[in-house]
Amino acid sequence: MSLLVFFVLFLLAGYIVAGIVFLSMVFWKEYKWYVAVLLSAGITLIFYVLFNHLLKVHLPIGGMLF
């Protein structure tokens, strides 16, 4: 279910929003809600910096359908 949400949000809102929501859904049961959100935001931003700046692979920030 969370992977489907990631795919739809990736198309509508971009990588950062989709990544934070997806990882929050994954971490939700293991951690408190605020830890899950902070952890998912940190991991998403690390991967964004890794792909965009180090590997030069540009991930969409905004929606692709707008």
Side-chain angles (χ1 to χ4, degrees):
M1 178 65 177
S2 58
L3 192 58
L4 180 63
V5 171
F6 174 77
F7 179 70
V8 171
L9 277 177
F10 186 81
L11 293 176
L12 295 176
Y15 171 74
I16 294 177
V17 173
I20 292 172
V21 171
F22 171 72
L23 289 176
S24 294
M25 291 174 70
V26 171
F27 294 142
W28 197 264
K29 292 183 181 178
E30 298 295 323
Y31 301 100
K32 295 182 180 186
W33 70 269
Y34 54 88
V35 175
V37 171
L38 289 175
L39 188 62
S40 62
I43 291 171
T44 301
L45 291 177
I46 287 170
F47 275 100
Y48 177 76
V49 169
L50 175 73
F51 276 90
N52 259 8
H53 299 293
L54 298 176
L55 298 175
K56 304 292 186 206
V57 176
H58 297 288
L59 299 170
I61 296 175
M64 296 171 62
L65 298 178
F66 296 111

